[in-house]
Amino acid sequence: MLVIKDLHAKIDDKEILRGINLEVKPGEVHAIMGPNGSGKSTLSSVLAGNDKFEVNEGSVTFNDKDLLDLAPEDRAREGVFLSFQYPVEIPGVSMVNFMRTAVNEHRKYRNETPYSASEFLKLMREKKSLVEIDSNLTNRSVNEGFSGGEKKKNEIFQMAMLEPKLAILDETDSGLDIDALRVVANGVNKLKSPDRATIVITHYQRLLDHIVPDFVHVLYKGRIVKSAGKELAHELEEKGYDWIKKEFED
Amino acid sequence: MAEDQDKILEEVTGGEYKYGFYSDIEMEEFPKGLNEDIVRMISAKKNEPEFMLEFRLKAFRHWQTMEQPNWAHLKIPPIDFQDIIYFAVPKKKPELESMDDVDPELKATFDKLGIPLDEQKVLAGVAVDAVIDSVSVKTTFKETLAEKGIIFCSISEAVQEYPDLIKKYLGSVVPHQDNYFAALNAAVFSDGSFVYIPKGVRCPMELSTYFRINAINTGQFERTLIVADDDSYVSYLEGCTAPMRDENQLHAAIVEVIAMDRAEVKYSTVQNWYPGNKEGKGGIYNFVTKRGICKGDYSKIMWTQVETGSAITWKYPSCILQGDHSVGEFYSVAVTNNYQQADTGTKMIHLGKNTRSLIVSKGISAGKSQNSYRGLVKVSKKAENARNFSQCDSLLLGDKCGAHTFPYLETANSTAMVEHEATTSKIGEDQIFYCNQRGLNTEQAVGLIVNGYVKEVINQLPMEFAVEAQKLLEISLEGSVG
């Protein structure tokens, strides 16, 4: 599904990603962990197409398409979803209007007819109960005045609406209390299917108790320095990142 | 939402707006320049009674003593007032053979706005095969109004038919001494609309929605007078979302509104005159004086404006709150792009007791444009318990444009409560990227964000106008980001 080869990316001439290699197959859950500043969020931004970052080497293919060649909106329409670490507020734009535009853009891209208002509202009700999001959140403007937890739940709700093939969760657990964490994790688990994949980017093991990864990768200084099964997350939780740092100090 | 809006737009434009307008008055030109003879000629041409000639001459003589104001945050190229032809004879536009001859850019804009083909032809000056019969429609419309005693006609007609009302009210809210452009307008105004709503009557339709096209020939010095008698209500719409090109560069209109006891007047404007090209060449200079007086107790005047056009806009729709408990409201969206300049806002003059005013101004600047809000809230000594709330927001697209806010507050009564809030924000790249990541392209993202930003104002417009105004905003800002 997703094949990343020797990916290098920089911002303002500072190289952040220094040769990432990763393959994600349908149905898999990959966790990417690592200390602050190791390039985790940069990786998610580059995959989503944020032009603040410049890719200077390497390739990314997504379902046999050159992902780096696509505009951000086309990456989204191809099925790449990013749950933002810091979702932005868009005052005055209702969630309903925003999501309806988004869902229908995806449908148009796939040559499907756009949803009518009633079809759309029905879909929205279904997904709302699936991810246990409060009704009044979707009646408000996009993220406006939402608490940190509400914003993250709203990301998962949008993911449920758009049914992406690849979901990238960028530190979705940061700033969440235990209840919100459970809601977010349940949402992600309910959306799991054999043809969809998830990349979970996180600092901590605790989210991975709820969303159990098939693979855990450690990102350090812009490279994946260690990959293993879910037990690696526990090891990191126990020992911290210092031993990794020592082992891979340049 | 977008689909619903398309549907509404289709219904609205495909339904009522299919009537054209055709004028076969012969071309007639006065000599260039302005002097007393020209003023007399205009008055004579229109066969006006003596009092109107006096009205015009007084204004002209006063205008000669005045100088063009320069306090606005505008760079106005010198205007040669002797190089203008003052009698705005309804000129026939050069007729084109078919839609194929129309500027493709203009055609594309029409299509985006969803303007029906017949109407596109009229707007673009294409010869219309059959003269579409607007007379019969106009007649039915007038009959409905006449049944209720409502007068809605051109100001020239009103001068002839209702001289007493004209004598009493014309120039009573905006006297010719008011400002340079008001004096000029009073001397040479060509035509405009007159509305009178009798006591206790609620006007059953939005006035002038229907005559969308009639704005074409109203000329450069337009004059509108609206009188709402006790307990009456009227909603009046001015302007047009379609891009209006006009060879007259200078426009100086006056609108006067009078609301008697418990009367309510809603005045909505969508203005989209030619703003000049991307290098800032050409474009209309729009100097407008709009003012309403809440003469009666519990009366209300509401101005709503969406301004996207003109090279220069100088415009401050105002309310004089004379009656006790009277209310003035001002909702504005002003968009400037490329080299456009706008200095616009309002004045709320509180004279009566318990008067209230609300100002919601949303400026959007893009390109290399300059957008200023200028507003005065004045509370006089006798205006006990006056309340005002002002909200002035500016949105910047890009880093070469400017937004400025000039609020003036003058309170002479200690019971007054005046609040002013202002914000300036930029459309963030992160907002656009967020929308991109959900599958919206950048143009859709900007449209959505901007329409979210102006929602409070757009909501005040009558629905069919609101839908067009939203599209207009998107079109006006096309290509300004990314």
Side-chain angles (χ1 to χ4, degrees):
Chain A
M1 174 181 265
L2 180 75
V3 181
I4 303 174
K5 280 188 184 149
D6 193 32
L7 182 66
H8 291 249
K10 58 183 185 176
I11 184 167
D12 304 333
D13 285 331
K14 191 176 174 224
E15 195 168 55
I16 313 268
L17 301 184
R18 302 191 301 160
I20 302 258
N21 290 289
L22 180 68
E23 184 170 358
V24 178
K25 296 198 176 88
E28 291 178 350
V29 177
H30 289 245
I32 295 179
M33 303 181 74
N36 281 331
S38 57
K40 302 191 297 292
S41 287
T42 301
L43 177 61
S44 65
S45 294
V46 167
L47 292 177
N50 190 332
D51 64 6
K52 274 183 204 157
F53 301 93
E54 191 193 327
V55 174
N56 49 331
E57 224 182 305
S59 68
V60 181
T61 54
F62 180 66
N63 290 333
D64 302 323
K65 284 192 177 142
D66 180 356
L67 192 71
L68 301 177
D69 204 30
L70 296 175
E73 59 270 29
D74 286 335
R75 298 184 196 194
R77 294 164 187 169
E78 285 287 339
V80 175
F81 180 90
L82 172 62
S83 167
F84 285 77
Q85 184 177 4
Y86 304 108
V88 297
E89 302 190 0
I90 310 179
V93 177
S94 72
M95 269 307 292
V96 176
N97 198 0
F98 179 65
M99 265 294 101
R100 188 162 170 221
T101 312
V103 168
N104 281 338
E105 280 307 313
H106 280 72
R107 291 184 66 83
K108 271 190 226 160
Y109 190 76
R110 297 191 298 253
N111 288 319
E112 296 163 359
T113 47
Y115 281 130
S116 69
S118 61
E119 285 169 332
F120 177 77
L121 290 174
K122 194 173 152 237
L123 177 76
M124 203 152 151
R125 269 198 303 277
E126 279 170 28
K127 300 296 184 184
K128 270 197 293 206
S129 65
L130 184 75
V131 298
E132 302 169 56
I133 187 170
D134 231 335
S135 256
N136 65 29
L137 284 191
T138 55
N139 290 335
R140 283 157 58 183
S141 293
V142 180
N143 294 322
E144 195 186 16
F146 286 26
S147 71
E150 286 170 341
K151 282 182 181 167
K152 296 298 173 73
K153 283 188 205 170
N154 193 21
E155 293 292 290
I156 301 304
F157 165 68
Q158 293 179 46
M159 178 172 112
M161 291 295 293
L162 295 170
E163 301 185 323
K165 297 190 186 110
L166 173 68
I168 304 163
L169 311 181
D170 188 6
E171 307 223 3
T172 300
D173 52 337
S174 67
L176 287 192
D177 60 32
I178 294 294
D179 291 330
L181 189 72
R182 187 190 50 79
V183 170
V184 165
N186 280 351
V188 173
N189 288 331
K190 280 181 189 161
L191 294 167
K192 248 170 98 169
S193 84
D195 54 352
R196 292 190 203 148
T198 311
I199 295 176
V200 183
I201 292 174
T202 182
H203 258 300
Y204 304 107
Q205 151 67 21
R206 63 171 192 167
L207 181 64
L208 303 178
D209 286 338
H210 300 276
I211 305 171
V212 182
D214 301 303
F215 302 94
V216 175
H217 311 277
V218 178
L219 193 61
Y220 181 58
K221 290 197 168 170
R223 287 196 193 103
I224 289 176
V225 293
K226 212 170 181 66
S227 294
K230 62 183 176 194
E231 65 287 346
L232 178 57
H234 290 283
E235 198 178 344
L236 289 169
E237 183 79 358
E238 241 168 70
K239 302 200 223 160
Y241 289 109
D242 284 350
W243 60 283
I244 300 265
K245 287 183 188 171
K246 263 179 215 145
E247 200 171 324
F248 296 95
E249 207 57 62
D250 284 347
Chain B
M1 283 306 277
E3 267 66 35
D4 280 357
Q5 291 173 356
D6 286 351
K7 228 164 114 193
I8 296 166
L9 190 75
E10 208 175 88
E11 277 167 21
V12 170
T13 52
E16 279 183 294
Y17 287 147
K18 63 188 167 201
Y19 310 100
F21 178 88
Y22 185 79
S23 159
D24 58 357
I25 299 166
E26 275 176 30
M27 187 112 89
E28 192 175 6
E29 276 189 4
F30 272 37
K32 272 185 187 172
L34 187 53
N35 52 48
E36 274 206 29
D37 288 342
I38 294 283
V39 176
R40 285 176 195 278
M41 275 163 82
I42 293 170
S43 190
K45 192 86 211 158
K46 298 171 86 66
N47 202 19
E48 288 177 347
E50 189 59 27
F51 82 88
M52 274 309 302
L53 177 62
E54 281 307 311
F55 180 95
R56 289 179 184 275
L57 286 174
K58 251 198 237 160
F60 175 70
R61 285 169 196 148
H62 189 77
W63 179 72
Q64 284 180 305
T65 67
M66 299 174 91
E67 270 178 36
Q68 195 180 328
N70 63 1
W71 43 262
H73 191 80
L74 298 170
K75 278 190 193 134
I76 305 170
I79 301 168
D80 183 354
F81 290 91
Q82 294 305 335
D83 193 38
I84 293 171
I85 297 165
Y86 281 89
F87 189 56
V89 180
K91 270 190 212 161
K92 239 173 150 180
K93 297 205 168 182
E95 288 201 338
L96 306 171
E97 288 288 310
S98 74
M99 278 314 275
D100 298 339
D101 300 335
V102 173
D103 178 0
E105 206 179 311
L106 187 65
K107 173 95 178 67
T109 310
F110 283 150
D111 289 340
K112 280 181 199 157
L113 283 165
I115 293 169
L117 192 66
D118 277 350
E119 203 173 325
Q120 291 192 9
K121 284 184 179 169
V122 178
L123 291 166
V126 174
V128 184
D129 305 338
V131 178
I132 302 159
D133 181 23
S134 62
V135 177
S136 64
V137 181
K138 209 167 156 184
T139 314
T140 3
F141 184 68
K142 272 199 147 176
E143 273 169 12
T144 318
L145 294 177
E147 271 170 34
K148 303 212 167 231
I150 294 168
I151 301 168
F152 178 34
C153 63
S154 73
I155 203 118
S156 312
E157 201 180 330
V159 168
Q160 305 295 333
E161 304 285 326
Y162 313 101
D164 294 343
L165 287 171
I166 296 294
K167 239 188 219 168
K168 188 168 175 191
Y169 293 114
L170 193 72
S172 70
V173 192
V174 181
H176 64 258
Q177 305 90 329
D178 189 83
N179 67 71
Y180 188 77
F181 296 105
L184 181 64
N185 175 291
V188 303
F189 72 88
S190 35
D191 214 335
S193 310
F194 174 68
V195 177
Y196 175 78
I197 315 288
K199 281 184 183 160
V201 171
R202 235 188 121 77
C203 184
M205 53 189 89
E206 311 273 357
L207 284 186
S208 106
T209 31
Y210 190 127
F211 293 109
R212 169 149 81 166
I213 303 168
N214 78 352
I216 290 183
N217 281 336
T218 44
Q220 53 190 144
F221 301 103
E222 203 178 341
R223 183 110 198 177
T224 303
L225 174 62
I226 299 174
V227 181
D229 217 326
D230 297 350
D231 301 290
S232 67
Y233 166 84
V234 62
S235 166
Y236 186 91
L237 307 178
E238 173 208 299
C240 181
T241 49
M244 301 291 287
R245 283 173 196 253
D246 192 323
E247 62 262 51
N248 299 316
Q249 197 165 34
L250 174 68
H251 280 243
I254 292 183
V255 177
E256 294 176 284
V257 175
I258 295 139
M260 309 303 275
D261 284 345
R262 294 166 302 277
E264 185 178 342
V265 179
K266 267 174 104 162
Y267 193 105
S268 312
T269 309
V270 173
Q271 184 270 112
N272 188 21
W273 272 326
Y274 183 55
N277 67 13
K278 287 186 175 124
E279 283 75 48
K281 291 248 167 62
I284 305 276
Y285 302 165
N286 192 21
F287 300 93
V288 191
T289 308
K290 287 184 167 177
R291 191 175 304 152
I293 181 163
C294 285
K295 242 187 154 69
D297 293 349
Y298 295 96
S299 56
K300 180 174 178 183
I301 293 176
M302 197 173 128
W303 299 102
T304 305
Q305 59 172 22
V306 175
E307 302 276 326
T308 62
S310 298
I312 297 176
T313 303
W314 181 96
K315 183 178 176 187
Y316 317 90
S318 309
C319 298
I320 301 170
L321 303 170
Q322 188 185 53
D324 291 345
H325 304 276
S326 61
V327 177
E329 290 180 1
F330 172 78
Y331 298 88
S332 167
V333 173
V335 181
T336 52
N337 199 351
N338 300 318
Y339 286 88
Q340 281 178 279
Q341 308 177 63
D343 192 300
T344 182
T346 184
K347 287 189 262 183
M348 294 290 176
I349 317 289
H350 292 256
L351 301 176
K353 294 188 184 74
N354 302 308
T355 47
R356 282 183 291 136
S357 62
L358 173 69
I359 297 170
V360 179
S361 162
K362 305 266 180 181
I364 301 170
S365 334
K368 295 178 177 154
S369 66
Q370 296 292 330
N371 200 330
S372 306
Y373 166 81
R374 185 182 305 277
L376 167 69
V377 176
K378 187 171 179 166
V379 179
S380 74
K381 238 183 193 165
K382 288 179 185 162
E384 292 286 318
N385 296 315
R387 298 279 177 273
N388 162 268
F389 179 75
S390 305
Q391 172 79 46
C392 301
D393 297 329
S394 308
L395 187 67
L396 301 170
L397 281 77
D399 53 11
K400 293 193 177 65
C401 51
H404 316 270
T405 306
F406 305 98
Y408 305 86
L409 303 176
E410 295 173 18
T411 49
N413 185 307
S414 59
T415 62
M417 252 176 76
V418 177
E419 287 175 76
H420 180 93
E421 279 180 16
T423 67
T424 301
S425 49
K426 273 181 101 162
I427 286 197
E429 280 169 19
D430 50 346
Q431 282 176 321
I432 291 172
F433 181 64
Y434 189 79
C435 295
N436 287 157
Q437 215 299 306
R438 298 303 184 246
L440 278 62
N441 66 34
T442 299
E443 226 155 73
Q444 286 173 315
V446 172
L448 203 71
I449 295 165
V450 166
N451 275 316
Y453 167 76
V454 301
K455 200 158 127 192
E456 256 177 292
V457 175
I458 299 285
N459 282 348
Q460 303 299 329
L461 288 173
M463 191 174 72
E464 66 266 31
F465 235 36
V467 173
E468 289 185 30
Q470 282 188 350
K471 291 208 162 194
L472 179 59
L473 290 179
E474 286 170 27
I475 292 169
S476 304
L477 293 169
E478 246 169 38
S480 56
V481 170

